[in-house]
Amino acid sequence: MGNFTNKTLRGRTALITGAGGLLGPHHGIGLTSAGAKVVLADIDSKGLEISKNKILKFNNKAEIETIILDITDLNAVREFQKTYTSNNKYIDILVNNAALNPTMKEVGSKVVGKIEDYDMDQWNKEIDVGITGAFICSRVFGTRMAAEGYGVIINISSDLAIRAPDQRVYSPTMSFDDIQSYKPLGYSIVKTSLIGMTRYLAEYWGHKNVRVNALLPGGVYNNQPQQLVENVKKRTLLGRWANVDEYEDVIVFLASDSSAYMTGQSIVMDGGRSV
Ligand SMILES: NC(=O)c1ccc[n+]([C@@H]2O[C@H](COP(=O)([O-])OP(=O)(O)OC[C@H]3O[C@@H](n4cnc5c(N)ncnc54)[C@H](O)[C@@H]3O)[C@@H](O)[C@H]2O)c1
């Protein structure tokens, strides 16, 4: 007989980092629809407000808190966790979602993201938010989860963790000769690292009943330049980009006891692009 009793998220609280961006509110819609409270964290206060309203529009009973939090600042993250806990509140689910996603330029603008003239400040920022920030949040909230004997960490990686970015999609002729911008190396490094972090922390805290898994989404349609849209479609088995709400259910699956016997793993959901 199956055990269908613990598959909602009622009584759980999820912290979503980088929640003021494109996917953050959709993680929030999924998690609150399944009964969780959510804490939306970001450095962008306007983004947080928009995100909160998007979730409320979908579910006007959703319990939502927002917090301006720079995840690269260990002391700030510790301070938030301390204050939160002293109010008898507890983060059971952490979604490491924040990352820098350098926007690929419109075809015809200055070529950016090349290896030869990669901006080192940009490199450091990408690593800082994507890797260090995810580590800091995992360390602070995961330690508490381990002490409580229950917790879930979900690392939002990318299909670019398991395949090279085909830079030809940024060319008007789909060739190597006139690539207009490059998906930067930092992104591949950050997303690949999250798979390593997922495995390491899954081993480290597995015996404390803290599960750590990664989601590898494919490209989400967000009014990208037409040329890019068409090029990516041709390279994706399902022939389209992801819709912005298509990861909501998998986040609930990973956060809930539906995935209770799963840790250290990655779910690839990329329309078949990496195949
Ligand atoms: N959108 C896609 O097509 C796609 C595809 C695959 C993977 N992903 C991954 O999904 C996640 C969410 O993507 P998105 O499209 O919503 O990105 P986004 O750029 O829209 O949002 C990222 C958010 O992170 C925040 N942020 C940046 N630095 C921060 C810091 N120091 N502390 C706290 N917050 C910070 C930003 O303010 C922003 O609101 C990212 O990890 C991304 O790499 C996205």
Side-chain angles (χ1 to χ4, degrees), residues 42 49 104 112 206 211 261 274:
D42 205 295
E49 203 46 40
M104 306 317 295
V112 292
R211 299 188 298 110
Y261 197 52
S274 57

Side-chain angles (χ1 to χ4, degrees), residues 238-254:
L238 294 179
R240 63 176 181 85
W241 291 60
N243 299 320
V244 72
D245 59 358
E246 279 187 295
Y247 299 108
E248 293 171 4
D249 289 351
V250 71
I251 291 290
V252 173
F253 169 73
L254 288 172

Side-chain angles (χ1 to χ4, degrees), residues 17-25 27 41-44 47 69-73 96-101 129 156-159 187 191 194 215-222 224 241 247:
T17 70
L22 181 67
L23 290 181
H27 302 330
D42 205 295
I43 47 173
D44 174 4
L69 187 65
D70 179 352
I71 58 160
T72 65
D73 182 344
N96 279 321
N97 172 71
L100 296 189
N101 294 304
V129 176
I156 308 299
S157 175
S158 160
D159 61 338
Y187 194 78
K191 296 304 171 184
L194 288 183
L215 173 66
L216 280 59
V220 176
Y221 179 70
N222 188 27
Q224 285 88 349
W241 291 60
Y247 299 108

